[in-house]
Amino acid sequence: MGNKNTVPKSPPVPTGKTRICVTGFAISHNVGRAQKLAAAIAEAHPDKYETWFYFSNFGYKKFLTKFKQHQLPEDQKGLPSTSDGGKTLAEHTSAPFCWLERGGTIAVTGDGDDTVEGKMYEVKGGRDRLCDWAGKEFPEEESIQALCSLKAPPRSETFFDNKTPGGTW
């Protein structure tokens, strides 16, 4: 499980919702913690948040390269991808890679391969940047705060719910 190379489609995000997206290796404690945090937020706030996951030990690097080339907004490429500031979002190579999506509409192409246009991306980068965002966004929620530590997650989180496609969309 988690080694499929088929990337799930990411349809338009329903109005009023934010989709928390996490991608990375199917076996990783940092990816596992990011998945757990995103799922906890969507569970606590299903009216405002949903999730999208893609985990693959073999397809992640190819997906990340394609995302950075085609979906990473120009104005975000120079932002730090991790808290240590070692790399920018455009240079990100580690796992996980996390971002938020809002909006979008289906663009019918006529060839059966419809696309989504107008989606807004707020790219976070690594797990620590997702934790930082969630910690500030949900300061009073203990269950979410418990997952926002910037310390390395325990190795027990190496094995997690890595179903692909996954998420609540």
Side-chain angles (χ1 to χ4, degrees):
M1 188 176 260
N3 289 324
K4 298 175 186 172
N5 287 321
T6 304
V7 178
K9 292 206 181 246
S10 179
V13 182
T15 302
K17 279 196 174 186
T18 297
R19 181 177 297 139
I20 305 168
C21 303
V22 178
T23 185
F25 298 113
I27 300 174
S28 164
H29 64 298
N30 282 315
V31 177
R33 174 56 64 91
Q35 183 275 342
K36 198 173 184 179
L37 175 58
I41 293 168
E43 184 176 320
H45 301 279
D47 56 322
K48 294 181 182 176
Y49 293 92
E50 62 183 28
T51 59
W52 177 95
F53 303 130
Y54 171 63
F55 306 117
S56 174
N57 291 330
F58 302 115
Y60 169 63
K61 290 290 186 178
K62 182 177 179 182
F63 172 84
L64 179 61
T65 298
K66 187 175 177 183
F67 183 94
K68 292 187 302 183
Q69 290 173 345
H70 301 288
Q71 291 162 285
L72 179 58
E74 281 296 321
D75 64 338
Q76 295 179 40
K77 287 184 177 183
L79 297 176
S81 72
T82 58
S83 295
D84 66 12
K87 291 187 177 184
T88 66
L89 290 172
E91 299 166 329
H92 190 96
T93 56
S94 60
F97 191 69
C98 310
W99 69 95
L100 308 177
E101 294 180 351
R102 295 177 186 91
T105 57
I106 294 285
V108 180
T109 60
D111 61 4
D113 192 25
D114 298 343
T115 60
V116 177
E117 293 181 344
K119 196 180 281 184
M120 305 282 291
Y121 297 92
E122 182 181 336
V123 182
K124 299 299 175 190
R127 175 193 60 84
D128 53 351
R129 303 285 292 173
L130 180 67
C131 289
D132 185 51
W133 167 80
K136 291 174 184 171
E137 192 73 18
F138 306 99
E140 305 298 322
E141 299 188 43
E142 288 182 31
S143 62
I144 293 172
Q145 289 296 316
L147 298 169
C148 290
S149 171
L150 296 182
K151 293 180 183 176
R155 295 286 178 194
S156 61
E157 292 187 25
T158 297
F159 302 98
F160 59 96
D161 182 5
N162 63 10
K163 289 189 290 287
T164 293
T168 57
W169 52 272

